[in-house]
Amino acid sequence: MREQNTTNIIVIGNGMVGYKFCEKLLSKQKNDLVFSITVFGEEPRPAYDRVHLSEFFAGKTGDDLTMASMDWYSKNGIRLFLSDPVVDINRQEKLVRSHHGHIVHYDYLIMATGSGAFVPSIPGVEKDGVFVYRTIEDLELIQSYARKAKNGAVLGGGLLGLEAAKALLDLGLQQAHVVEFAPRLMPRQIDDAGSKMLQNQLEGLGLNIHLLKSTQEIKGGDTIEGMQFADGSFLEVDMLVISAGIRPRDELAKIAGLETHPRGGIVVDNMLTTSDPNIFAIGECALAHHMIYGLIAPGYEMAEVVATYLTGGTKEFLPFDMSTKLKLIGTDVASFGDPFIEEPACKTIRYENKAKGVYKRINVSIDGKELLGGILVGDAEQYNMLLQTCKSKTILPPDSEDLILGSRGGEEASAATSVGGVMSLPDDALICSCEAVTKGMICQEVSENGHTTIDAIKKCCKAGTGCGGCLPMVKDIIQGVLKQNGVYVKNIICEHFDYSRQELLDLVKINGIRTYNGVLNHFGHGDGCEVCKPLVGSLLASLWNENILQKDRAPIQDSNDRYLANIQKGGTYSVVPRIPGGEITPEKLIVIGQVAQRYGLYTKITGGQRIDLFGAHLNDLPAIWEQLIAVGFESGHAYGKSLRTVKSCVGSTWCRFGVQDSVSFAIEVEDRYKGLRSPHKLKSAVSGCVRECAEAQSKDFGIIATEKGWNLYVCGNGGSKPQHAQLIATDVDKETCIRLIDRFLMFYIKTADPLTRTATWLNKMEGGINYLKAVVVDDVLGIGEELEKNMQALIEVYKCEWKEVVESPELRKRFSHFVNAPIKDPNIEFETMRDQKKAKEWV
Amino acid sequence: MEPVKNTKDRIVWHKACHVEDIPEDGGGCALIEGKQIAIFNFARRGEWFATDNQCPHRQQMAVARGMIGSQDGEPKVACPFHKKTFSLQTGQCLNDDAYRINTFPVMVRENQVYVGL
């Protein structure tokens, strides 16, 4: 009989944790266990993401925040009663009664009633214009009231309070105040110094912060007019949002006679069982380990523990790490471990940079070996590394300040980088997030199963087979493990070449070799592969700058270089003409439009200030380029590991702030280095003043105008691991700037590992930025002149490679999908989107 | 030139293209009986190979545009989309056991390339 095997579960509360419990229980449900789940929720809508509640003001709707639709509940056989809170529990008969009179039997009852806003008993809190900040309904009320309000205040300087204050500003109030009883903001997460730094940042955004203010009374008639403080001062406001903390919703538990704590919370044990063994409490209503866990992660963990227990497993809820990192109105704030432990129980290291709004503090054990906790404000990039170091009790380096200050050049630099390197990560650090592969799993494959190549690792544990972004880290781990095991690791290219890229470049150069087979015959063995072929192709181009498709070089080029275009989903290509500095005439714009129309191309502005034309058939590429070249366009090398764009702001020609002509300089720089092939792609930008609208500091080399000349920054990166470029020359003139870039780029081309961006190259460089600066600016190696000469030689032989293809019948012939039929690939299909086409989604 | 593949009985040879249509140490795609066949002129080894042009990973028609090479002496091709590499001899994917492609015999006579289907 089916009925007998069915376990009735009732969940009281349809918040995030209550929802997550249902989801987890369903996923763990086995064949022999059938659950009948009933959920009672007080709010009128199904569970939504309360953590991102403030995004409601940024334009998200209630539906956007919904965790699962009503459909989800019905599909999974869950009975959901909304706007229908449970009002009584009969524990003897195991029945609950709801507000609307539903009486339902349970075998197990899950209390996920959450918490409500804590409203302090201040005279006047009942006045119109006083709100709490807890539900979507609260936010709707705030939103409509704010339309006629001018000055608003938030009571409470915690995380939610600060978000609420920002929301008031965004809603158009003239003034937004934050009133906090404690001497600092976010008192649970950060210390006084961190709070000061945060306060500076927030005041810069227009918030008014009042600390150490005890609110005595809310003044006004029916409607709020101001706040009277204990120190005699008065703040005139016409609306107030109370965000003074949370209060666990334990009133139902009290009625049912379950044990609750005098200061709130349903008391539970490590299994989250209340004083009644058939009733559990999870989330913010539960008091576990003598505390209320007011974060979402421990709430989810509680849901996991109970769902595991009900499906026959065992799991305990252990004291949960409350480390947090969040972006608060644009400012990073993080705390981890024990942020507040004081000397003499530990040694504390503090770093403060008021100009940048950065405060960092770490607490180190007395013996200097362990990281106990810390606080980061303004820059929390090191949070994950620090948290892992703290949790895994990694032994610290002798100079533990390196943890927050980073490598500072000189002798210490290598010690510091070894701390930041991938081998210092704990074994459970996630390396490949696509396939959920940890560092430990990769290490095991390398040392125990002998998988010591990228390919072998890809095959045995799938790391790096998704987006491939982790492959450099995987390679470092393989080499690190081999080194640890005492194996001498030579950084060789692949099974066909026993040399590093740098060694091979020197050999090829000295011997003047210009073909792939020549290089393979002289210095390699076997038949080559997809690793060494494009690498040698890049070397040859960096050395001689001949057309990459001529001689035997076409079939050694990687997917994009092979046809001088970017291969896209479906097998079509995208075309990007060069638009130096982002400057373009109306005439040229028209031609781009005409070409796109004629060949049915999807057009999009790129991040590098040019125009990308997608969906071109291989067969059409030469004709498309013929038309573009006819009006003066050149290849944009969007397909190459080479100079992409030099972005610019409009500069002093039009901008009222500009101090130099950034567009002219950007065009000059782009024209100089166009077609330059390098170990990886190169991006650049020129800004006309310190406002930095061209974002030059995120580029491989960036130039920012000053009153006196130009500042040169190098080795910046956007992308998945953003890194700011570092200053190597100040107030130099154009000629000097160009000379330094010549040296910098040639030094990079000569010494970097394959597919290594300048930022990673610098991070691996012994001596770091100081060494790089010494080589490029001070010329300590005495190679400056040679580097400049090499660069000049490459620039002199530059030719637009597309022009050469268009003019060569031999090369043009290769741009055909079939060798035996003059037709395009009939398998290519497109779909329509917003009046343009897109590639058909792949299976 | 002699045929470089052993031929089985009842193979039907189809004329695919001229030798010079396929770049040395590279590939090209021929349309044969409505099928897209990738043909490789592995000049370095003096061998010719033919496979499906479609990569089974994402069903893309691009194997012929891939780079060829060898792994421990076994000739292979790498799909240009995500670098799944396939043995040119067996068609087995060398970096993911889940995939394989079909291979076909190739014969070169009087400057003409024939593929057996």
Side-chain angles (χ1 to χ4, degrees), chain A residues 621-637:
Chain A
L621 288 174
I624 288 172
W625 273 105
E626 195 162 16
Q627 290 175 44
L628 292 171
I629 286 166
V631 293
F633 281 112
E634 290 185 303
S635 166
H637 297 94

Side-chain angles (χ1 to χ4, degrees), chain A residues 55-108:
Chain A
E55 289 175 20
F56 182 79
F57 289 133
K60 286 214 173 172
T61 64
D63 284 348
D64 291 335
L65 295 170
T66 299
M67 309 206 49
S69 62
M70 300 292 286
D71 268 6
W72 181 85
Y73 291 91
S74 59
K75 250 187 229 157
N76 286 292
I78 297 175
R79 283 201 294 167
L80 176 63
F81 295 99
L82 294 176
S83 302
D84 196 10
V86 169
V87 291
D88 195 14
I89 304 172
N90 177 341
R91 287 163 53 199
Q92 276 70 44
E93 313 265 334
K94 292 191 179 171
L95 295 172
V96 302
R97 181 165 58 83
S98 78
H99 176 68
H100 288 307
H102 293 285
I103 294 178
V104 185
H105 167 258
Y106 67 84
D107 295 304
Y108 293 103

Side-chain angles (χ1 to χ4, degrees), chain A residues 455 458-459 462 465-466 495-496 516-517 520-521 525-531 533-534 552 555-559 562-563 567-573 618 810 813-814 817-821 823 825-828 840 842-843, chain B residues 15-17 20-32 36 39 42 44-45 53-54 57-62 64-73 76 78-85 93-97:
Chain A
D455 259 348
K458 274 186 178 175
K459 202 166 163 179
K462 289 196 159 282
T465 55
E495 65 170 82
H496 307 103
Y516 174 76
N517 274 323
L520 187 57
N521 291 338
H525 38 81
D527 308 310
C529 67
E530 73 279 3
V531 174
K533 281 185 168 180
D552 68 351
I556 66 166
Q557 306 298 340
D558 209 342
S559 323
R562 177 81 165 82
Y563 293 101
I567 195 166
Q568 306 290 357
K569 266 186 195 171
T572 61
Y573 289 84
L618 181 58
E810 187 54 35
K813 197 182 98 180
R814 299 288 181 210
H817 183 72
F818 293 115
V819 293
N820 62 344
I823 56 168
D825 181 359
N827 285 53
I828 291 176
K840 189 162 178 269
W842 51 31
V843 204
Chain B
K15 194 195 269 188
C17 58
E20 55 270 21
D21 288 333
I22 311 288
E24 290 196 355
D25 293 313
C29 173
L31 187 62
I32 300 173
Q36 298 200 16
I39 302 171
F42 212 140
R44 211 181 152 78
R45 298 165 70 105
N53 192 36
Q54 187 180 60
H57 174 223
R58 291 292 188 190
Q59 279 71 44
Q60 301 289 299
M61 287 293 185
R65 301 181 203 171
M67 288 176 277
I68 59 172
S70 65
Q71 178 176 322
D72 296 328
K76 63 169 182 173
C79 173
F81 274 90
H82 304 97
K83 298 290 169 359
K84 297 279 177 211
T85 62
C93 180
L94 300 172
N95 48 12
D96 192 333
D97 287 336

Side-chain angles (χ1 to χ4, degrees), chain A residues 418-436:
Chain A
S418 70
V419 174
V422 72
M423 291 315 284
S424 67
L425 288 174
D427 275 353
D428 57 5
L430 198 61
I431 301 296
C432 171
S433 40
C434 301
E435 293 289 340

